[in-house]
Amino acid sequence: MSQPAKETPQMEKIVSLCKRRGFIFQSSEIYGGCGGVWDYGPLGAELKRNLRDAWWKAMVRDREDIVGLDAAILMNPAIWKASGHVDTFADMMRECSLTNKRVRADHVEPQSGTVMTYTGAQSPTGWKIERPISALLWKGTHIESFRKQVRLLISSNAGEAAGKAEEIELLGEAKGDEVTNSVDFHPETGGALGPARPFNLMLRTFLGPTASLDDPTYLRPETAQAIFAQFKNVFDSSRVKVPFGICQIGKAFRNEVTPKNYTFRSREFEQMELEFFIKPDEAVEIICGQVAPWSESADLSEPQPNWGWEMWHRYWVQERTRFYQSIGLGDVVHYYWQTQADLAHYARACVDILCEFPFGTEELEGIAARGDFDLSQHQKHSTKSQEVFDEDLKNAAAKLTDEQKEALIQKRLAAEQAKTKGEPMPEADVRAWFERLFKGNYVPHVIEPSAGLDRMALAIIAKAFSETVKTDDKGKSETITVLRFHPRIAPVKCGVFPLLKNKPELVAKAREVYALLKKHMNCFYDETASIGRRYARQDEVGTPFGVTIDFETLGEKGPELEDTVTVRERDTNEQHRIKIADLTAWLLARIS
Ligand code: GAP
């Protein structure tokens, strides 16, 4: 008999399972860890690889209009200047006056207590602080333990120069105001927070022996910019035509202020990004006579030549949704359509694909319509043209009358004037842009579906995690954990078990079956413990199928069952009798 398990913090159970069964480990654990950085163990590595492969297949291999790229993590720092990351890729931070610990300005938990101030501090070593210090005496904290804590914090921040913490003298103590729900004190230390300042999230490094603090380069904070920077090379070398896309999967690094929720917000992570390049709507209008208008009933099944950015954007939201359905996340994804206020000045639309995690519904992927901002920025900063030439456009524009051309220009000028964000493009620039367009030249616009692989893996694990309490005949209860991974992405596809390990014929046959299947899928051979225990071990890591080699296989229960095996399905416990000769095909049909 089984019944639903009692509710306990699910995230803790997931973290513990992931460590115990080799999915995810803390980086550098034997040295106390490395904040916001994670390693994937054998099963985690397989899970990530399966997700990566599923994404690449759906986005590149199964399509004719997308190609791949594998660019370096290090790039010329001018790229990050052009993209805006050097100047604006920052969180607003506040610094604790006791410890210099930083906290994101929008992540400060409100606190209540009494504000205590000091004119400074000194120690017998001669070390001094000659500025006012203030900290919050939390309600219920004794003043002596507060003073001790302040000394400790000051001393750990000052290092050896301050000597022993207990010998630090706090000067000019004064009791200040009572505050309620104040966001001006560090949530961990109680130290008063300084003003909010931008803190760039890019990780700096120094390339070459002569690089100095003044000319750093950066570990890329996203994979997208390499796609933009290589756009022209890919376009010129790959016989692609707009609309087409370039995909990349790879590591990205962000010095997140508060990495949290396990791997959800990490400092090193992997992104899977597509930049899908499309014609500007004006080019579509010139070639097709009009741009297909978006409506709820629009047919998005096959891309059409008259699609403008809006249809393409909707199309990619639909495609990405289909992908999440194909890996078993269909029923836990949600959408947040960013409002005009949320959007960057160059973005036309952005939808966040959200997923239900144990800690809340959070972003899994963003799909943005970014106009021609990125390629235009690189064109401006590199002074290398990022335009493409479109023969169809040139021919169609040649057939337009001057009035028709002027009407297009006027429509664009009106749209520029109606902008609520960013500066409208000056009329002279608009006219120059149309002049190039009528000759068939434009900088492509882009739709960007950008997903995080680590977040996807976490979402998959969280969605797959399930527990039941099983009670045996003697009334003994046991909690059983099953990871109900979709077979396509399960790290191990099949467990192979001889019914008994002390029967050499069973073991030999099982090894034979294992060798046969291993050529086609990741399998696990296990001969120890009872068959029920072995099933349970594989259920816990999400293996969808278990193959048992028994006496029937050896022909001991009649010739009709010889060379057949029992295949058990993880989720239904259903058992099938399958011929070994058909086994590979039977399993492949269910895991691909
Ligand atoms: N090129 C666009 C871009 O990078 P983003 O929203 O900053 O957009 C895209 O990142 C995706 O990358 C996110 O939806 C998320 O899945 C993943 N991601 C971003 N920061 C992350 C972090 N610190 N840890 C893990 N994944 C992260």
Side-chain angles (χ1 to χ4, degrees):
M1 196 183 82
S2 67
Q3 60 190 64
K6 268 206 312 254
E7 263 320 302
T8 37
Q10 186 160 320
M11 215 38 227
E12 260 172 53
K13 291 181 189 168
I14 289 175
V15 172
S16 147
L17 173 72
C18 283
K19 176 165 182 193
R20 185 159 44 82
R21 297 306 310 267
F23 281 90
I24 302 173
F25 306 127
Q26 192 186 18
S27 161
S28 327
E29 189 185 306
I30 57 170
Y31 289 98
C34 180
V37 187
W38 301 92
D39 294 339
Y40 289 80
L43 292 180
E46 288 290 339
L47 176 66
K48 270 183 83 174
R49 180 166 296 279
N50 292 344
L51 284 172
R52 222 185 263 125
D53 290 349
W55 187 91
W56 194 260
K57 182 170 181 307
M59 303 294 271
V60 184
R61 293 270 166 86
D62 288 352
R63 303 185 61 103
E64 289 183 16
D65 56 355
I66 299 187
V67 292
L69 179 73
D70 185 359
I73 287 169
L74 296 172
M75 295 193 277
N76 188 314
I79 285 179
W80 305 112
K81 185 75 187 157
S83 67
H85 284 81
V86 169
D87 296 323
T88 60
F89 193 57
D91 279 342
M92 294 306 283
M93 304 283 301
R94 297 180 73 184
E95 200 167 282
C96 166
S97 54
L98 291 182
T99 59
N100 302 116
K101 263 192 172 180
R102 289 176 181 153
V103 62
R104 248 173 79 161
D106 57 343
H107 282 183
V108 183
E109 296 276 331
Q111 292 162 86
S112 306
T114 309
V115 182
M116 301 295 297
T117 58
Y118 299 91
T119 53
Q122 63 188 24
S123 86
T125 61
W127 169 93
K128 277 184 190 155
I129 295 184
E130 291 176 304
R131 60 175 167 83
I133 306 167
S134 62
L136 196 66
L137 171 62
W138 287 304
K139 277 198 178 125
T141 307
H142 191 277
I143 184 70
E144 261 320 312
S145 70
F146 169 80
R147 287 180 189 129
K148 190 171 163 196
Q149 174 70 2
V150 171
R151 282 190 200 99
L152 270 173
L153 291 169
I154 290 177
S155 129
S156 66
N157 200 39
E160 284 178 11
K164 291 182 183 157
E166 60 272 24
E167 289 176 2
I168 292 177
E169 190 184 350
L170 299 171
L171 305 171
E173 181 180 282
K175 204 170 177 175
D177 295 338
E178 293 283 325
V179 294
T180 307
N181 291 333
S182 167
V183 289
D184 289 329
F185 298 89
H186 196 288
E188 285 161 32
T189 65
L193 291 169
R197 291 205 176 93
F199 170 78
N200 196 291
L201 298 184
M202 283 198 294
L203 279 129
R204 298 200 299 172
T205 188
F206 305 97
L207 196 58
T210 54
S212 70
L213 276 175
D214 299 327
D215 57 349
T217 188
Y218 304 93
L219 302 186
R220 66 182 177 202
E222 60 170 26
T223 55
Q225 289 308 318
I227 299 181
F228 295 124
Q230 292 294 4
F231 166 75
K232 252 338 206 21
N233 276 335
V234 175
F235 185 77
D236 293 342
S237 62
S238 309
R239 298 178 61 83
V240 281
K241 271 180 83 180
V242 177
F244 81 100
I246 306 177
C247 272
Q248 176 162 228
I249 300 179
K251 289 277 191 179
F253 303 82
R254 296 183 188 177
N255 201 5
E256 296 285 358
V257 179
T258 37
K260 64 173 185 178
N261 290 330
Y262 201 25
T263 56
F264 180 82
R265 180 169 295 121
S266 315
R267 291 188 170 126
E268 175 176 338
F269 55 98
E270 220 166 320
Q271 284 188 318
M272 303 191 287
E273 299 201 288
L274 162 66
E275 302 303 332
F276 195 81
F277 299 99
I278 57 173
K279 297 175 191 188
D281 279 11
E282 289 87 345
V284 175
E285 190 173 342
I286 293 169
I287 297 168
C288 301
Q290 65 141 347
V291 176
W294 154 253
S295 76
E296 284 298 334
S297 59
D299 178 5
L300 295 172
S301 53
E302 271 300 317
Q304 299 298 324
N306 65 350
W307 280 9
W309 73 263
E310 200 167 8
M311 290 290 264
W312 275 114
H313 186 237
R314 296 282 176 163
Y315 168 80
W316 277 111
V317 175
Q318 180 185 280
E319 286 297 291
R320 299 301 304 137
T321 302
R322 277 177 16 170
F323 174 79
Y324 287 115
Q325 283 161 352
S326 78
I327 58 169
L329 286 179
D331 54 339
V332 285
V333 297
H334 303 267
Y335 304 88
Y336 173 70
W337 286 85
Q338 292 191 14
T339 62
Q340 277 304 317
D342 297 328
L343 289 174
H345 68 90
Y346 49 81
R348 292 184 162 167
C350 184
V351 58
D352 295 338
I353 298 194
L354 313 173
C355 182
E356 291 168 27
F357 290 92
F359 40 82
T361 301
E362 299 279 356
E363 180 186 324
L364 194 56
E365 165 160 357
I367 305 176
R370 299 175 59 87
D372 62 359
F373 175 77
D374 304 277
L375 285 181
S376 294
Q377 282 294 103
H378 288 301
Q379 176 165 277
K380 187 167 127 198
H381 285 253
S382 69
T383 68
K384 306 280 179 341
S385 167
Q386 300 299 311
E387 281 185 342
V388 296
F389 172 70
D390 187 328
E391 186 81 37
D392 296 344
L393 172 62
K394 185 182 162 201
N395 294 338
K399 294 186 189 136
L400 295 179
T401 62
D402 286 349
E403 290 71 31
Q404 285 172 316
K405 286 182 179 171
E406 186 57 27
L408 283 167
I409 295 170
Q410 289 303 326
K411 191 160 126 190
R412 173 66 182 270
L413 286 171
E416 289 293 331
Q417 289 311 316
K419 266 185 182 168
T420 52
K421 273 191 181 169
E423 289 298 307
M425 196 194 264
E427 179 167 347
D429 293 0
V430 170
R431 289 188 178 279
W433 184 82
F434 270 100
E435 204 171 304
R436 305 268 324 135
L437 190 77
F438 294 145
K439 288 182 181 147
N441 302 302
Y442 59 83
V443 172
H445 286 222
V446 77
I447 308 289
E448 179 190 71
S450 168
L453 176 54
D454 306 77
R455 276 192 196 174
M456 205 181 284
L458 184 59
I460 289 278
I461 293 171
K463 168 73 177 21
F465 186 88
S466 79
E467 281 185 324
T468 48
V469 177
K470 284 203 168 162
T471 309
D472 67 15
D473 304 345
K474 294 173 192 122
K476 198 169 153 239
S477 294
E478 191 188 4
T479 300
I480 309 289
T481 304
V482 181
L483 287 180
R484 299 190 189 280
F485 289 132
H486 190 292
R488 278 184 76 201
I489 45 96
V492 181
K493 307 298 183 193
C494 179
V496 180
F497 317 120
L499 186 61
L500 299 172
K501 84 167 182 186
N502 55 6
K503 269 275 174 201
E505 305 88 316
L506 285 175
V507 169
K509 198 75 187 169
R511 301 265 356 156
E512 220 178 89
V513 171
Y514 174 65
L516 174 81
L517 295 179
K518 192 120 186 71
K519 285 190 217 133
H520 304 277
M521 63 196 82
N522 193 26
C523 302
F524 189 82
Y525 177 84
D526 190 2
E527 59 181 28
T528 59
S530 73
I531 196 74
R533 188 48 66 198
R534 281 180 271 168
Y535 283 157
R537 278 186 205 142
Q538 288 308 305
D539 287 352
E540 201 182 35
V541 295
T543 307
F545 301 103
V547 169
T548 305
I549 287 77
D550 46 26
F551 292 106
E552 283 88 336
T553 319
L554 302 180
E556 293 187 13
K557 302 269 173 88
E560 68 286 0
L561 292 179
E562 190 170 359
D563 281 334
T564 65
V565 291
T566 305
V567 181
R568 174 214 176 234
E569 291 196 45
R570 177 198 64 206
D571 293 338
T572 57
N573 238 329
E574 234 180 284
Q575 309 230 349
H576 309 269
R577 201 78 214 169
I578 310 280
K579 282 187 188 150
I580 293 175
D582 300 335
L583 186 59
T584 309
W586 192 94
L587 288 168
L588 283 176
R590 284 157 180 81
I591 62 170
S592 30

